[in-house]
Amino acid sequence: MFRSKGEELEKTMKETQEMLQTVEEHGIGEKKFFGGESIGIADIAFGSVVYWLEVIEEAVGEGAVFEAHRFPRLHAWIKNFKQVPVIKENLPERDWMVTFFKNRREALVRSA
């Protein structure tokens, strides 16, 4: 998604949504975190993916992939995840990341 444009970007966004739909339907259920009421290794692994996805999605600027109405359980989960003190204190600064990746993507797309 980060390096794609046009039809390739649309295909990549659709594939990402399909993956998220699988996790939405089978991964969390009614639990706060993947393993229940407390954060575990699956949350940490998937949390890094979703946090970066949100940043990349904003940097690409071609529509939303991780939509709240389409993935309500995942949105509730990422909100809970980001509020865990150790996670909250160690997440990279979002605005800086968006700006960095937006500039990086523009350079990659221009050179392709």
Side-chain angles (χ1 to χ4, degrees):
M1 192 166 109
F2 183 66
R3 300 175 74 148
S4 305
K5 59 183 177 180
E7 288 181 23
E8 184 180 348
L9 176 59
E10 289 177 29
K11 180 182 176 199
T12 303
M13 289 173 71
K14 184 176 185 220
E15 289 171 352
T16 302
Q17 286 181 323
E18 290 170 0
M19 181 271 306
L20 290 170
Q21 189 65 46
T22 299
V23 177
E24 172 78 15
E25 293 173 1
H26 305 287
I28 297 180
E30 301 304 318
K31 301 174 287 191
K32 187 174 182 178
F33 297 106
F34 283 98
E37 290 302 308
S38 59
I39 193 169
I41 192 72
D43 299 289
I44 293 169
F46 195 65
S48 62
V49 170
V50 173
Y51 188 74
W52 284 88
L53 175 62
E54 290 177 323
V55 169
I56 297 301
E57 181 178 74
E58 189 173 336
V60 169
E62 294 286 333
V65 173
F66 188 53
E67 300 168 312
H69 72 277
R70 189 166 181 182
F71 307 108
R73 290 182 191 140
L74 284 175
H75 270 269
W77 167 81
I78 194 70
K79 183 179 175 184
N80 290 330
F81 178 78
K82 289 178 186 178
Q83 294 306 310
V84 172
V86 71
I87 300 299
K88 190 175 187 175
E89 294 164 7
N90 289 288
L91 284 174
E93 203 279 308
R94 183 183 172 93
D95 291 339
W96 181 89
M97 288 178 55
V98 169
T99 301
F100 175 82
F101 284 110
K102 192 177 283 189
N103 292 335
R104 184 70 182 126
R105 181 178 190 277
E106 289 171 4
L108 287 169
V109 169
R110 272 196 313 272
S111 69

